[in-house]
Amino acid sequence: MDPLGGAEFAPKYTYLNTSACALMPRRTIEAITLLAEETAAGRPEGAGSFEIVAEARATYARLMGVDPDRVAVGSSVSVHVGMIAQSMPAGSEILFPEGDFSSVITPFTVRGDLKTRFVPLERLAESIGPETALVAFSSVQSSDGRTADFAAVRAAAAAHGARTLVDATQSAGWLPLRAGEWDYTVAGGYKFLLCPRGSSFLTVTEEAQDSLVPIHAGWVTGEELWVNSYGPVRELARSARRFDEPPAFLSYHGAARSLALLEEIGIERIEAHNKALAARFRAELVELGHAPVQDVSGVVGVPGLGDRQAALRAAGVLMSARVGNLRASFHLYNGVADVDRALDVLAG
């Protein structure tokens, strides 16, 4: 369980905080720096490359097991979710787990004309009924690392004709997820995908695309990219690209490199690595008399230890505190030494 990624990473701290923000690979920093310097010098091709954005889209599609035509690029999860929320018919029931991340929930609640319902995560599947139009949830809970029963939720939604929205921000990059099994998935790039902020991804099944309104359509969403600069877009892209935001080129030049690294290492290998580190951390915490949330997840919540975050940080160990939980999140650049260092500080 040595770190993966080799010379791509050189953290100065014991960094167990990817659920807040990832370390970026060296190759990603180089790509961003190169584009910034070229733009400052007067880049003949403009401020960035749509071809590199297409590379990022295609690599993300492969990581998520879908065709690139099913992937839209954007800037943040809340923007993607907002488009889905604005496309729901008035009066629709949207079902959420209690305490899920606000960016998954708030775009629906601010509508004011949707019925929103909240249930415990462990009862999510059984709570889907014939009145449920959409069930929206995070693949891994941000506050404590718990995972939903994907198969049960998917089966219940199919049985009742409900659409599904999965926020994979806390899992994309380490947990294999076939995005085509869900109507919509969203993922912020700056966490386990190792991308710069300003990159995020939306997947849409072909069927679900028909009812999704491209409320922020612009010239980049046209089927022919360079003929829609003036007047209404003649024809929106027939693929999920119709839901694109104009790409932040610095972010996507970096994202293409980060996603390529994940593909080179392999998501299944990263999954095994992260879960093994998390399992070791949980087991040793129990030995110390603590009660971490028990789940097969690469993110570990420890109730009642959130107040130890400051002391850990002072000792060079970076984690998060969330709703009273101490949260450790393990990724490819972590190793056993990181786990043991955190445990030493907590024990001492």
Side-chain angles (χ1 to χ4, degrees):
M1 288 189 290
D2 291 332
L4 306 176
E8 290 285 354
F9 301 99
K12 295 182 178 180
Y13 304 95
T14 300
Y15 193 83
L16 303 176
N17 206 25
T18 303
S19 282
C21 184
L23 305 180
M24 284 193 292
R26 188 181 305 277
R27 66 176 71 182
T28 302
I29 301 297
E30 291 173 351
I32 296 169
T33 302
L34 175 62
L35 178 59
E37 290 175 345
E38 288 181 345
T39 303
R43 192 170 185 270
E45 296 84 1
S49 167
F50 280 102
E51 288 75 18
I52 292 178
V53 175
E55 288 179 22
R57 188 194 312 268
T59 306
Y60 182 78
R62 290 192 296 272
L63 293 174
M64 298 295 281
V66 295
D67 189 275
D69 282 351
R70 298 295 99 221
V71 178
V73 300
S75 61
S76 71
V77 162
S78 58
V79 173
H80 295 313
V81 176
M83 179 167 52
I84 298 168
Q86 290 300 314
S87 301
M88 299 300 299
S92 297
E93 179 186 276
I94 318 298
L95 180 67
F96 306 98
E98 294 173 346
D100 211 322
F101 196 68
S102 59
S103 293
V104 184
I105 298 170
T106 309
F108 295 96
T109 59
V110 297
R111 274 277 304 262
D113 60 354
L114 299 174
K115 179 182 178 182
T116 54
R117 187 159 60 97
F118 301 86
V119 299
L121 179 66
E122 60 271 15
R123 293 180 50 204
L124 187 61
E126 67 184 67
S127 299
I128 301 170
E131 72 284 359
T132 306
L134 177 75
V135 54
F137 66 101
S138 296
S139 54
V140 174
Q141 291 294 299
S142 172
S143 61
D144 58 16
R146 288 178 299 154
T147 56
D149 187 337
F150 296 163
V153 171
R154 193 165 53 247
H160 293 289
R163 292 195 184 270
T164 53
L165 164 61
V166 178
D167 179 1
T169 300
Q170 294 290 357
S171 68
W174 70 266
L175 184 65
L177 180 70
R178 298 195 63 81
E181 296 178 341
W182 310 94
D183 293 290
Y184 313 105
T185 74
V186 294
Y190 68 96
K191 299 190 179 186
F192 292 90
L193 291 171
L194 311 176
C195 300
R197 281 184 179 268
S199 57
S200 65
F201 301 89
L202 163 71
T203 71
V204 187
T205 63
E206 190 168 3
E207 180 183 16
Q209 177 175 309
D210 293 339
S211 59
L212 191 58
V213 181
I215 58 174
H216 48 251
W219 76 274
V220 300
T221 63
E223 176 64 20
E224 296 182 70
L225 189 59
W226 296 105
V227 299
N228 294 290
S229 297
Y230 306 101
V233 172
R234 302 174 190 178
E235 180 188 11
L236 289 175
R238 293 184 284 272
S239 68
R241 193 169 58 76
R242 72 194 292 125
F243 308 116
D244 275 9
E245 293 178 71
F249 284 120
L250 285 169
S251 296
Y252 277 93
H253 276 236
R257 297 289 189 90
S258 293
L259 297 171
L261 175 62
L262 292 172
E263 189 173 37
E264 290 167 17
I265 296 172
I267 297 300
E268 290 78 10
R269 184 182 175 195
I270 298 170
E271 177 190 22
H273 177 84
N274 292 10
K275 285 183 175 180
L277 293 175
R280 180 186 179 97
F281 187 58
R282 286 191 190 90
E284 293 297 325
L285 283 169
V286 171
E287 291 295 317
L288 291 175
H290 303 298
V293 174
Q294 294 298 327
D295 199 298
V296 184
S297 173
V299 180
V300 181
V302 193
L305 284 189
D307 60 357
R308 299 291 300 276
Q309 181 200 23
L312 285 158
R313 181 172 183 171
V317 180
L318 303 186
M319 299 187 196
S320 292
R322 294 292 187 270
V323 293
N325 300 318
L326 182 67
R327 185 186 68 188
S329 41
F330 300 91
H331 206 14
L332 74 166
Y333 37 66
N334 296 126
V336 172
D338 296 322
V339 178
D340 292 347
R341 173 59 181 155
L343 290 166
D344 286 345
V345 177
L346 287 171

